[in-house]
Amino acid sequence: MKVHMIAIALTVVSLLPAGRLQAADKPAFDQVEAAAIARAAGLPLPAPGEMEGPQAFYAGAVLQPFWQLTWTAAGEWAGLEAVSVTVATETRRVLSFSQVKRLRCPECESDARPVINYTRREAQALAEKWVRQLAPELLPRLRLVEPPATGGRAPGLIEGAHFFKWDVTLDGYPVLGRDVVADIDAVTGELRGFSQPAALPAAPELPPGFVPNVDAAMQLYWDALPLELQYRLYPQRDSEELQWRLVYRLSSPLPRMGLNGELVNSEGQPTRTAEISLPEPVPAPDEPWVPPAQPLTRDEALAVAVAATCRLEMPNAQYNEWVGGTGGYWTFTWDGAEATVDAQTGLLVSMSLMPAGDAGVQPLTLTESRALAAEFIRRFRPDLAGRLLMLPPGPWERQTFDEIEFVQTHEGVPLSHRTIRMAVLSGQHRVITLQVMPFEPVAERFTFLGAPANAISPEAARAALLKANPLELVWVSFPEGGELVSRLVWAPRWADAATVDALTGALLDSGGDELRSGPFLPADLADRPEARAVEILASMGVIRLDGDKPFEPDRPAELSELVDWLTRAFGAKMVKVEPGSTAARQAFALWVARAMGYGALADMKNRIEVPFRDRDAIGAPYANAVAILNGLGLLPGDGETIFQPEHPVTRGEAAKIICGALLTS
């Protein structure tokens, strides 16, 4: 009988002999030979005299002793460029390589955006070549991990480099933290970074009859995901303005789960979880808060500070303007105490004090401390009382003071990064610290997208989270008793993806963009000549791909789309137009020529010869621009080619022309 089980004993696997911790005080070879090994592997190390160094460091008392060599740039590039390589002294393998280089282009503008020359598929071929070259013995164990696409941009494109990661597997399950990584510069195609594990565990023996049951594991995992409905600030699409969006979010990174259904730590050991408690609302003040008619004077602000700190002696006082230009604040300091009062609102912004001596009173209980903190808020921050939630206490043991945190709300839903943190000294019945975040006053001009009544249920959010970010079995490894041991646990595929759009159920990244697995390019670009151009432009943020929607390369491009693409590609300042209208090919050619800097040449009276068969149909204002783009190869054709200057330019044609213009310029 086949046994379906998720409950088995945690398996401990010792390392192969090469995996034991060792101390090698004397290296097997010197730094010169280490550099020679790296050069023999084909790595692009600096030529003699090209950079300063290398500075050499030898680490002997580690899992795998190694040499680390670092070269740094001199002169105007000092601190901006560096090359580093790590070579294991026992295996003579390159463990890591990194290079940081600036794009040296004296004629380029300092803020010019580098043009991406390599698509992800092209970069992957280069990365795989380096992996075969530097880690050949790991090839049978490697499994490529494709990150999700985000924000309509290519997956794994980080700061101008294509990032590739391969899991190293044991018995088909990846070993966390023991992966192979290669970064390919998207502009130059050079290897920017590489790393591989120094040592691996031996292949473990799984218990007989073990059959992973992912459905049962996910059902147990759901119960361990206390998702919180909250508003978070994200940039609006195609705008720099921020907007409050309604999301479900975990208060901490996605946890791991042992084979018995218990939450585990980074070493696979069961970890204690706090009992889930609901936050408590802070009652509104008895009287509605009304801001002062005039900014507070020094004495008026001091009265607020004295009431909060109970310090009666004369303090040092200083008045400062808020950075945002919304008035100013008074800061008062005593020996061991400080308080800041907003002059415009008359409210306490921050406070800290160090009470001396023992009050000789019965210490407050935790409930009494929290009640004292709430009353302090009602008195000194009446503007927020009534729309604050007091968060439940943490699972740690009580100290001499109680840390208490509040969060602001909108329609009863918490706002991210709008908090108040306080500390109450229970033995003296006093609030000793208050910190309002953000510190400076924030004009809440941001709009709110989504109402709590329209949110999906927490159960639907959990289901959406785990559908887009499923569980898989992985090995966690850690040192123990002089060697590495491993345990098999359940873990989500994307450890940092823990935010779900509360209206759509989409998985979001840290910037609020939808994370999407599967093919990056829309299906209607498969085997199309425009696919490479669209990918490059999307990777640069010129074109934004919208989820699974088709690109429609043969559809005439709307004038508003073309204006947006050219503005993003070249920073060209063009007038906004009404959506729906299209642009003729000849007019679009003129816009591109001007965006590339050929405006004067395109506008000159002398006409440049155009090779197209229907050249007489090209309008005089556009003829030179068409000829320029033809000469640059952006509008290919000859005397037998029909240009059709009045036909609307299609989305696919526009993408190819803009991409070619960027690569040419």
Side-chain angles (χ1 to χ4, degrees):
M1 179 179 66
K2 183 175 290 187
V3 180
H4 290 271
M5 52 191 286
I6 64 167
I8 65 172
L10 295 178
T11 306
V12 179
V13 183
S14 63
L15 286 175
L16 292 167
R20 288 188 173 276
L21 293 171
Q22 5 189 337
D25 296 331
K26 184 177 181 181
F29 50 81
D30 61 15
Q31 64 191 68
V32 176
E33 188 169 353
I37 292 172
R39 292 186 191 279
L43 291 173
L45 300 185
E50 182 181 355
M51 302 180 80
E52 293 184 347
Q55 294 180 336
F57 168 76
Y58 175 69
V62 293
L63 183 67
Q64 184 71 268
F66 62 84
W67 277 106
Q68 184 179 57
L69 309 178
T70 304
W71 292 261
T72 55
E76 62 176 314
W77 302 100
L80 300 177
E81 295 188 347
V83 176
S84 179
V85 65
T86 300
V87 179
T89 57
E90 294 193 356
T91 63
R92 304 176 70 87
R93 289 189 299 135
V94 173
L95 298 181
S96 68
F97 169 79
S98 68
Q99 63 171 332
V100 179
K101 286 189 176 181
R102 304 280 289 184
L103 185 63
R104 301 192 180 190
C105 178
E107 67 275 11
C108 296
E109 297 181 10
S110 59
D111 59 349
R113 173 170 47 182
V115 176
I116 292 175
N117 294 313
Y118 290 84
T119 65
R120 185 151 184 87
R121 179 179 297 181
E122 294 163 348
Q124 181 177 333
L126 297 174
E128 290 173 346
K129 176 184 175 182
W130 281 110
V131 172
R132 288 193 300 269
Q133 198 165 318
L134 298 174
E137 68 284 352
L138 292 179
L139 292 177
R141 293 182 169 185
L142 298 185
R143 184 186 71 179
L144 181 64
V145 179
E146 272 292 354
T150 175
R153 300 190 181 187
L157 184 64
I158 303 174
E159 296 183 353
H162 289 289
F163 175 88
F164 297 94
K165 172 187 170 184
W166 289 264
D167 282 336
V168 180
T169 62
L170 298 175
D171 274 1
Y173 304 126
V175 183
L176 287 186
R178 307 274 170 184
D179 37 53
V180 174
V181 173
D183 304 341
I184 301 297
D185 193 299
V187 179
T188 65
E190 294 180 330
L191 180 68
R192 187 184 285 188
F194 170 84
S195 65
Q196 63 173 311
L200 290 173
E205 293 185 7
L206 296 176
F210 171 66
V211 178
N213 189 334
V214 66
D215 293 333
M218 289 176 66
Q219 188 63 47
L220 285 174
Y221 196 76
W222 280 13
D223 298 334
L225 296 185
L227 291 173
E228 177 191 59
L229 188 65
Q230 62 177 237
Y231 281 103
R232 293 184 70 83
L233 275 178
Y234 292 116
Q236 295 187 51
R237 182 163 181 171
D238 300 326
S239 170
E240 295 182 359
E241 287 294 319
L242 298 177
Q243 184 178 49
W244 289 106
R245 289 173 57 184
L246 194 62
V247 300
Y248 280 101
R249 182 175 171 82
L250 287 178
S251 57
S252 58
L254 286 168
R256 299 167 186 165
M257 187 175 71
L259 299 178
N260 295 319
E262 75 283 9
L263 293 187
V264 296
N265 59 20
S266 60
E267 298 181 354
Q269 297 282 12
T271 181
R272 186 180 64 160
T273 57
E275 184 176 341
I276 299 175
S277 304
L278 296 177
E280 305 169 28
V282 177
D286 297 332
E287 297 291 335
W289 173 72
V290 178
Q294 299 292 333
L296 267 61
T297 64
R298 176 190 180 282
D299 290 342
E300 291 171 334
L302 177 59
V304 176
V306 168
T309 61
C310 299
R311 302 300 290 266
L312 301 178
E313 61 270 25
M314 189 59 63
N316 294 321
Q318 184 176 5
Y319 181 81
N320 295 287
E321 294 286 336
W322 293 115
V323 175
T326 56
Y329 58 95
W330 287 98
T331 298
F332 302 97
T333 56
W334 297 266
D335 183 18
E338 181 177 281
T340 299
V341 179
D342 189 312
Q344 272 58 47
T345 64
L347 299 169
L348 188 66
V349 176
S350 68
M351 181 198 75
S352 64
L353 55 90
M354 299 177 59
D358 187 357
V361 295
Q362 180 72 23
L364 297 174
T365 65
L366 179 58
T367 300
E368 292 170 336
S369 287
R370 292 168 63 83
L372 177 65
E375 194 57 39
F376 191 91
I377 289 290
R378 298 182 72 219
R379 179 180 179 186
F380 293 101
R381 290 307 304 248
D383 60 318
L384 298 179
R387 54 189 183 96
L388 283 178
L389 291 176
M390 186 189 309
L391 300 183
W396 46 82
E397 296 181 4
R398 288 189 72 190
Q399 306 296 322
T400 55
F401 57 88
D402 295 312
E403 294 182 345
I404 302 168
E405 186 172 359
F406 302 81
V407 61
Q408 297 183 42
T409 65
H410 174 75
E411 295 188 16
V413 176
L415 301 176
S416 67
H417 303 98
R418 296 289 187 268
T419 61
I420 296 179
R421 293 178 179 174
M422 300 177 63
V424 174
L425 194 63
S426 59
Q428 297 199 5
H429 299 197
R430 298 188 65 178
V431 174
I432 57 173
T433 63
L434 175 132
Q435 183 181 25
V436 180
M437 297 296 292
F439 178 71
E440 295 190 13
V442 177
E444 292 297 359
R445 55 185 173 81
F446 309 123
T447 59
F448 286 84
L449 177 64
N454 298 327
I456 62 177
S457 67
E459 293 74 21
R462 291 190 187 97
L465 176 63
L466 289 174
K467 179 181 178 181
N469 192 6
L471 293 180
E472 60 181 357
L473 282 171
V474 299
W475 293 98
V476 292
S477 56
F478 53 94
E480 183 176 276
E483 58 185 17
L484 285 181
V485 297
S486 297
R487 292 190 174 94
L488 197 60
V489 301
W490 291 101
R493 184 169 299 166
W494 314 114
D496 298 326
T499 303
V500 177
D501 190 304
L503 302 179
T504 66
L507 193 64
L508 305 178
D509 69 0
S510 59
D513 287 316
E514 180 179 347
L515 291 169
R516 183 171 56 87
S517 58
F520 167 58
L521 291 177
D524 62 349
L525 286 175
D527 301 321
R528 292 282 306 217
E530 305 93 344
R532 185 176 189 274
V534 172
E535 179 179 343
I536 289 176
L537 294 181
S539 299
M540 296 180 63
V542 175
I543 288 177
R544 187 161 186 141
L545 301 179
D546 194 358
D548 297 323
K549 292 184 180 179
F551 182 73
E552 300 180 279
D554 296 323
R555 175 171 64 82
E558 294 186 7
L559 197 56
S560 57
E561 293 177 322
L562 299 176
V563 168
D564 182 58
W565 294 356
L566 285 172
T567 302
R568 291 174 180 273
F570 295 98
K573 303 299 181 183
M574 304 183 70
V575 179
K576 292 284 186 180
V577 294
E578 292 297 324
S581 56
T582 60
R585 288 175 175 169
Q586 59 182 6
F588 182 65
L590 179 60
W591 297 346
V592 174
R594 287 174 174 170
M596 295 178 69
Y598 296 116
L601 188 60
D603 295 336
M604 70 179 185
K605 293 183 178 180
N606 295 333
R607 185 157 178 170
I608 306 173
E609 184 65 25
V610 182
F612 298 120
R613 192 168 69 182
D614 57 346
R615 54 185 173 273
D616 293 338
I618 301 175
Y622 313 109
N624 285 349
V626 173
I628 291 170
L629 297 195
N630 173 260
L632 294 173
L634 305 182
L635 289 175
D638 52 29
E640 299 301 318
T641 305
I642 298 177
F643 177 59
Q644 298 178 307
E646 294 290 346
H647 276 222
V649 63
T650 67
R651 288 166 55 85
E653 291 170 339
K656 286 189 66 176
I657 292 171
I658 293 175
C659 181
L662 285 171
L663 296 176
T664 300
S665 60

